[in-house]
């Protein structure tokens, strides 16, 4: 059973968008996992073997306890019933309290499909009298993270302070050498500069050094008033 499950369309999406939240959740003693939907290949400088090694290193850096890959079709991801079933089966098995899923608005079609798949699979996971595996389960919380492909200014529902985790986040992203450095310009701003500066911007928005934003289409409950003082 996981406290937090990040659903990532491609290996490296989780680290880029919520690597700080993942590292912080592990530090807080939570059970944390990542479900990668595709291998991310083909890309200009990667292979499936290289990507698997890079993903394992990044997982070690973050300290996540659970990670699997459904090997759905990269670049051609569809919000199909088979894909929905595969994800719902995972939700029923690992029973996450909070799911972090891709935001619905994105430049990458795979991310858009993945966002819809998470909504659909969350609903299916609670069904009884189905051919799904395991017992019915309704993941109580679902929020969305933003991808680097999205060159708009999204409105965040909440920003998590990752000032103490920024270096671990960047280290986890550097593990994806085939995606982050091979064949890329070394002139400022690099893709790593973009990711770090974006985290700095969100940190600025909450009077912190670094932050990661999340969007929630549902109401966020406060069980105690002092939660509003954080
Ligand atoms: Zn992606």
């Amino acid at each position: 059973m996981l406290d937090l499950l990040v659903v990532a369309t491609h290996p490296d999406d989780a680290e880029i968008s919520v690597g700080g939240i993942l590292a912080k959740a592990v530090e807080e003693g939570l059970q944390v996992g990542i479900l990668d939907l595709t291998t991310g290949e083909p890309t200009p400088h990667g292979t499936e073997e290289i990507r698997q090694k890079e993903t394992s290193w990044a997982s070690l850096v973050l300290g996540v306890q659970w990670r699997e890959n459904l090997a759905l079709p990269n670049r051609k991801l569809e919000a199909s019933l088979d894909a929905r079933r595969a994800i719902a089966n995972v939700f029923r098995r690992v029973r996450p309290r909070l799911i972090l899923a891709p935001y619905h608005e994105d430049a990458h079609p795979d991310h858009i499909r993945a966002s819809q798949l998470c909504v659909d699979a969350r609903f299916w996971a609670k069904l009884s009298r189905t051919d799904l595996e395991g017992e019915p389960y309704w993941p109580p919380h679902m929020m969305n993270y933003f991808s680097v492909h999205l060159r708009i200014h999204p409105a965040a529902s909440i920003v998590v302070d990752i000032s103490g985790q920024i270096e671990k986040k960047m280290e986890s992203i550097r593990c994806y050498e085939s995606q982050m450095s091979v064949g890329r310009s070394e002139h400022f701003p690099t893709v790593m500069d973009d990711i770090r500066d974006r985290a700095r911007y969100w940190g600025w928005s909450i009077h912190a050094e670094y932050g990661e934003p999340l969007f929630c289409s549902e109401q966020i409950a406060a069980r105690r008033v002092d939660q509003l003082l954080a």
Side-chain angles (χ1 to χ4, degrees):
M1 183 156 169
L2 295 177
D3 295 303
L4 168 62
L5 174 68
V6 175
V7 180
T9 317
H10 311 104
D12 76 9
D13 285 346
E15 290 82 357
I16 291 169
S17 296
V18 287
I21 292 173
L22 284 165
K24 189 162 185 156
V26 170
E27 286 174 24
E28 291 176 4
L30 300 178
Q31 293 295 306
V32 179
I34 301 171
L35 176 65
D36 296 310
L37 298 185
T38 75
T39 64
E41 287 302 308
T43 57
H45 302 287
T47 66
E48 299 222 348
E49 294 70 32
I50 290 171
R51 294 296 288 274
Q52 274 175 15
K53 277 186 196 159
E54 292 173 342
T55 303
S56 300
W57 291 333
S59 302
L60 278 174
V61 168
L62 294 174
V64 299
Q65 298 95 339
W66 183 97
R67 189 165 197 164
E68 286 187 8
N69 192 312
L70 287 178
L72 296 171
N74 181 49
R75 292 180 174 175
K76 299 173 184 170
L77 186 63
E78 294 283 357
S80 67
L81 293 183
D82 284 346
R84 186 193 303 179
R85 180 178 292 106
I87 299 168
N89 280 337
V90 173
F91 288 171
R92 288 161 75 110
R93 179 155 49 93
V94 304
R95 306 175 94 71
R97 292 168 62 195
L98 168 62
I99 295 168
L100 298 184
Y103 187 57
H104 63 271
E105 190 176 2
D106 200 292
H108 196 315
D110 282 357
H111 290 191
I112 298 169
R113 304 294 174 271
S115 185
Q116 185 62 49
L117 276 168
C118 287
V119 173
D120 298 345
R122 182 194 190 195
F123 193 88
W124 261 26
K126 72 176 178 177
L127 298 180
S128 58
R129 306 181 74 179
T130 73
D131 58 356
L132 294 171
E133 298 164 7
E135 295 298 313
Y137 177 69
W138 168 250
H141 304 288
M142 187 153 87
M143 297 186 187
N144 300 105
Y145 58 83
F146 305 115
S147 114
V148 287
H149 298 282
L150 192 70
R151 291 183 187 267
I152 64 170
H153 181 75
S157 306
I158 191 165
V159 178
V160 180
D161 183 344
I162 61 153
S163 302
Q165 293 75 33
I166 183 65
E167 300 308 334
K168 198 171 271 190
K169 171 190 172 92
M170 300 311 293
E171 188 186 342
S172 73
I173 298 168
R174 274 194 296 274
C175 293
Y176 293 94
E177 207 171 47
S178 70
Q179 307 301 303
M180 297 298 152
S181 52
V182 178
R184 285 190 181 270
S185 164
E186 293 179 3
H187 295 291
F188 180 85
T190 65
V191 65
M192 298 298 286
D193 293 324
D194 286 345
I195 293 167
R196 190 184 188 96
D197 291 350
R198 196 176 294 212
R200 169 72 195 109
Y201 167 76
W202 286 110
W204 166 83
S205 77
I206 57 164
H207 304 273
E209 292 174 15
Y210 292 93
E212 283 175 341
L214 295 172
F215 172 82
C216 189
S217 59
E218 300 165 349
Q219 304 305 316
I220 300 171
R223 304 296 173 193
R224 293 163 52 101
V225 175
D226 64 9
Q227 286 180 276
L228 304 178
L229 309 179

